[in-house]
Amino acid sequence: MSMKLLITGGAGFIGTNLIAYLNQHTDYFLRVLDNESVGHRSHLASLTCEFVHGDILDDNALDRALDGIDAVIHLAADTRVIESIEDPKKNFDINVMGSYKLLSKMRSRNVGRLVCASTGGAIIGDVEPPVHENMVPRPASPYGASKLALEAYCSAFSQSYDMSCLALRFSNVYGPYSFHKGSVVAAFMRQIMRGETLVVYGDGTQTRDYVYSFDIAKAIHDAVADPAVSGVLQLGTGVETSINALIDLIRETVGSDYPVRVEYRDRRRGEIYRSCCDISKAGRELNYAPQTALREGLQQTWQWFLEAERQ
């Protein structure tokens, strides 16, 4: 019998990439719950899934979405670091209360498997990379704190109610279907297409670990398929890349037809300076091994942006 999956926030960037991957590699029944505040059902138009419009804070929407479901992939979240500093209550309501409601509904319906999106750098804070799962969390923003709370509730529900919960700490994910995404690669590519100047907060030496969306999608699929894997896993590439190096690669990717201009501004509070992750635990427990080099992933992402612009 084919597995029946619910994907919360499935009309967003990672959800859309995940559904595209699952459509290609499985016969799973897929249902999406999304309030369309960021993603939109139109992003799923070329993909096979059932769509439920609703919010994870809405009990009725959760009941509709969970009906007949075997496992849940929880991607719905407020993921914006700076906005979480400006409005921590909104971030708390969505990321903590919404996740708690989802876990409670899953418990009442005997849906025993949850794979959810967490974050690495924002939970651990400003430390010497690479970050790993055994580091003491020191969140640098309300967003990081909310994801740490999600991980804590997953741990509690796993041990108290015999559920199997796995939190995947994503590094900086980029790739196709990201035209509406606020993360750095998508934002830079949109700005370049519009002839706008790229804005860098800091001197550009700050670093991140950039992982391609389909490598993440494969990892999520593998995680859902193996309920014995639980706890927390860090997912990235293990490669630390500065913003300046990223801009150089993007400049090479887009070519001379698209000039790349950069403006540097003061660094913003709440953002970590260096981030890169140790993926060895995910390699051991999930056979995780990302295949897409940054140069290749940027080329594929840029081609998607060009094609999306023509449509």
Side-chain angles (χ1 to χ4, degrees):
M1 182 181 296
S2 175
M3 186 180 293
K4 296 182 178 180
L5 295 181
L6 169 65
I7 305 172
T8 71
F13 161 55
I14 292 177
T16 309
N17 279 274
L18 174 62
I19 292 167
Y21 182 90
L22 293 175
N23 280 175
Q24 293 172 4
H25 295 91
T26 74
D27 62 350
Y28 293 168
F29 169 83
L30 306 177
R31 180 180 294 147
V32 168
L33 174 65
D34 201 296
N35 66 5
E36 300 182 87
S37 60
V38 178
H40 192 272
R41 72 185 76 190
S42 62
H43 301 156
L44 306 172
S46 63
L47 304 174
T48 302
C49 61
E50 179 183 289
F51 186 85
V52 175
H53 176 86
D55 197 289
I56 56 170
L57 289 165
D58 182 340
D59 288 332
N60 291 329
L62 284 173
D63 283 329
R64 294 198 311 274
L66 284 166
D67 187 40
I69 290 296
D70 299 313
V72 176
I73 300 168
H74 180 34
L75 305 176
D78 178 12
T79 62
R80 297 164 295 185
V81 172
I82 300 304
E83 286 81 353
S84 80
I85 296 171
E86 296 168 352
D87 190 354
K89 184 179 184 304
K90 176 184 176 183
N91 189 267
F92 174 86
D93 288 345
I94 296 170
N95 292 359
V96 183
M97 284 300 299
S99 298
Y100 171 77
K101 279 179 170 285
L102 173 64
L103 281 163
S104 296
K105 288 288 187 182
M106 289 177 62
R107 178 193 171 203
S108 69
R109 288 175 165 270
N110 294 315
V111 180
R113 179 58 169 168
L114 175 71
V115 175
C116 63
S118 187
T119 183
I123 282 179
I124 302 302
D126 251 327
V127 297
E128 184 75 15
V131 299
H132 56 79
E133 296 86 351
N134 292 328
M135 284 181 164
V136 176
R138 293 185 177 87
S141 64
Y143 167 64
S146 73
K147 286 298 188 179
L148 181 58
L150 165 61
E151 290 186 2
Y153 272 103
C154 284
S155 176
F157 271 66
S158 292
Q159 296 179 69
S160 297
Y161 308 120
D162 200 27
M163 296 174 67
S164 173
C165 299
L166 174 65
L168 299 177
R169 291 180 175 176
F170 301 154
S171 63
N172 285 61
V173 188
Y174 71 97
Y177 304 105
S178 58
F179 203 84
H180 60 289
K181 183 72 174 166
S183 56
V184 62
V185 171
F188 280 175
M189 287 188 173
R190 279 197 309 274
Q191 290 164 347
I192 290 168
M193 293 185 80
R194 296 167 181 165
E196 299 171 358
T197 298
L198 308 186
V199 176
V200 174
Y201 293 95
D203 62 4
T205 59
Q206 62 267 44
T207 64
R208 296 293 184 266
D209 183 337
Y210 298 98
V211 60
Y212 191 57
S213 53
F214 280 89
D215 286 324
I216 290 293
K218 181 181 185 301
I220 296 172
H221 162 259
D222 293 346
V224 169
D226 188 358
V229 181
S230 61
V232 175
L233 293 178
Q234 186 80 52
L235 298 186
T237 63
V239 178
E240 187 176 7
T241 303
S242 72
I243 292 289
N244 287 333
L246 174 69
I247 291 171
D248 288 343
L249 282 172
I250 290 176
R251 184 179 281 115
E252 173 189 315
T253 297
V254 304
S256 57
D257 289 343
Y258 292 88
V260 179
R261 299 179 297 275
V262 184
E263 175 186 342
Y264 293 89
R265 297 181 184 174
D266 291 341
R267 185 180 168 193
R268 300 184 292 191
R269 290 175 61 89
E271 292 189 321
I272 60 175
Y273 178 61
R274 292 178 64 195
S275 182
C276 178
C277 63
D278 180 346
I279 58 174
S280 58
K281 184 182 177 185
R284 292 191 304 271
E285 297 192 8
L286 204 61
N287 292 319
Y288 173 69
Q291 299 297 308
T292 312
L294 182 54
R295 176 178 276 105
E296 177 190 350
L298 289 174
Q299 291 169 351
Q300 293 177 14
T301 304
W302 179 245
Q303 286 303 310
W304 182 88
F305 268 77
L306 292 175
E307 291 168 9
E309 182 74 3
R310 296 188 192 107
Q311 293 176 359

